[in-house]
PDB file of all heavy atoms in Angstrom:
ATOM      1  N   VAL A1127      83.454 117.246 124.068  1.00  0.00           N
ATOM      2  CA  VAL A1127      83.051 116.040 124.709  1.00  0.00           C
ATOM      3  C   VAL A1127      83.673 115.960 126.095  1.00  0.00           C
ATOM      4  O   VAL A1127      83.031 115.503 127.039  1.00  0.00           O
ATOM      5  CB  VAL A1127      83.545 114.829 123.877  1.00  0.00           C
ATOM      6  CG1 VAL A1127      83.415 113.527 124.674  1.00  0.00           C
ATOM      7  CG2 VAL A1127      82.670 114.687 122.617  1.00  0.00           C
ATOM      8  N   ALA A1128      84.909 116.400 126.246  1.00  0.00           N
ATOM      9  CA  ALA A1128      85.587 116.368 127.540  1.00  0.00           C
ATOM     10  C   ALA A1128      84.836 117.311 128.545  1.00  0.00           C
ATOM     11  O   ALA A1128      84.603 116.886 129.734  1.00  0.00           O
ATOM     12  CB  ALA A1128      87.022 116.845 127.439  1.00  0.00           C
ATOM     13  N   LEU A1129      84.484 118.483 128.088  1.00  0.00           N
ATOM     14  CA  LEU A1129      83.686 119.373 128.988  1.00  0.00           C
ATOM     15  C   LEU A1129      82.387 118.787 129.348  1.00  0.00           C
ATOM     16  O   LEU A1129      81.940 118.822 130.539  1.00  0.00           O
ATOM     17  CB  LEU A1129      83.519 120.748 128.328  1.00  0.00           C
ATOM     18  CG  LEU A1129      84.824 121.556 128.076  1.00  0.00           C
ATOM     19  CD1 LEU A1129      84.548 122.802 127.304  1.00  0.00           C
ATOM     20  CD2 LEU A1129      85.441 121.911 129.425  1.00  0.00           C
ATOM     21  N   TYR A1130      81.733 118.200 128.341  1.00  0.00           N
ATOM     22  CA  TYR A1130      80.407 117.505 128.629  1.00  0.00           C
ATOM     23  C   TYR A1130      80.577 116.367 129.610  1.00  0.00           C
ATOM     24  O   TYR A1130      79.804 116.180 130.527  1.00  0.00           O
ATOM     25  CB  TYR A1130      79.882 117.024 127.279  1.00  0.00           C
ATOM     26  CG  TYR A1130      78.827 115.980 127.425  1.00  0.00           C
ATOM     27  CD1 TYR A1130      77.505 116.268 127.741  1.00  0.00           C
ATOM     28  CD2 TYR A1130      79.089 114.586 127.218  1.00  0.00           C
ATOM     29  CE1 TYR A1130      76.533 115.339 127.879  1.00  0.00           C
ATOM     30  CE2 TYR A1130      78.116 113.625 127.287  1.00  0.00           C
ATOM     31  CZ  TYR A1130      76.819 113.972 127.650  1.00  0.00           C
ATOM     32  OH  TYR A1130      75.874 113.012 127.785  1.00  0.00           O
ATOM     33  N   GLY A1131      81.721 115.630 129.441  1.00  0.00           N
ATOM     34  CA  GLY A1131      81.964 114.500 130.403  1.00  0.00           C
ATOM     35  C   GLY A1131      82.182 115.016 131.795  1.00  0.00           C
ATOM     36  O   GLY A1131      81.710 114.396 132.794  1.00  0.00           O
ATOM     37  N   LEU A1132      82.937 116.128 131.956  1.00  0.00           N
ATOM     38  CA  LEU A1132      83.153 116.701 133.299  1.00  0.00           C
ATOM     39  C   LEU A1132      81.857 117.112 133.933  1.00  0.00           C
ATOM     40  O   LEU A1132      81.645 116.888 135.098  1.00  0.00           O
ATOM     41  CB  LEU A1132      84.115 117.899 133.176  1.00  0.00           C
ATOM     42  CG  LEU A1132      85.565 117.576 132.989  1.00  0.00           C
ATOM     43  CD1 LEU A1132      86.354 118.874 132.766  1.00  0.00           C
ATOM     44  CD2 LEU A1132      86.138 116.820 134.196  1.00  0.00           C
ATOM     45  N   VAL A1133      80.949 117.709 133.140  1.00  0.00           N
ATOM     46  CA  VAL A1133      79.678 118.156 133.641  1.00  0.00           C
ATOM     47  C   VAL A1133      78.834 116.936 134.012  1.00  0.00           C
ATOM     48  O   VAL A1133      78.226 116.930 135.122  1.00  0.00           O
ATOM     49  CB  VAL A1133      78.945 119.014 132.597  1.00  0.00           C
ATOM     50  CG1 VAL A1133      77.463 119.274 133.048  1.00  0.00           C
ATOM     51  CG2 VAL A1133      79.671 120.301 132.417  1.00  0.00           C
ATOM     52  N   ALA A1134      78.783 115.948 133.144  1.00  0.00           N
ATOM     53  CA  ALA A1134      78.018 114.698 133.405  1.00  0.00           C
ATOM     54  C   ALA A1134      78.452 114.042 134.672  1.00  0.00           C
ATOM     55  O   ALA A1134      77.633 113.624 135.547  1.00  0.00           O
ATOM     56  CB  ALA A1134      78.045 113.770 132.215  1.00  0.00           C
ATOM     57  N   PHE A1135      79.786 113.800 134.807  1.00  0.00           N
ATOM     58  CA  PHE A1135      80.230 113.104 135.992  1.00  0.00           C
ATOM     59  C   PHE A1135      80.235 113.965 137.248  1.00  0.00           C
ATOM     60  O   PHE A1135      80.165 113.481 138.382  1.00  0.00           O
ATOM     61  CB  PHE A1135      81.666 112.559 135.741  1.00  0.00           C
ATOM     62  CG  PHE A1135      81.562 111.179 135.044  1.00  0.00           C
ATOM     63  CD1 PHE A1135      81.670 111.166 133.637  1.00  0.00           C
ATOM     64  CD2 PHE A1135      81.448 110.078 135.749  1.00  0.00           C
ATOM     65  CE1 PHE A1135      81.630 109.906 133.016  1.00  0.00           C
ATOM     66  CE2 PHE A1135      81.424 108.829 135.072  1.00  0.00           C
ATOM     67  CZ  PHE A1135      81.472 108.754 133.768  1.00  0.00           C
TER      68      PHE A1135
END
Side-chain angles (χ1 to χ4, degrees):
V1127 167
L1129 294 175
Y1130 162 78
L1132 285 174
V1133 171
F1135 276 92

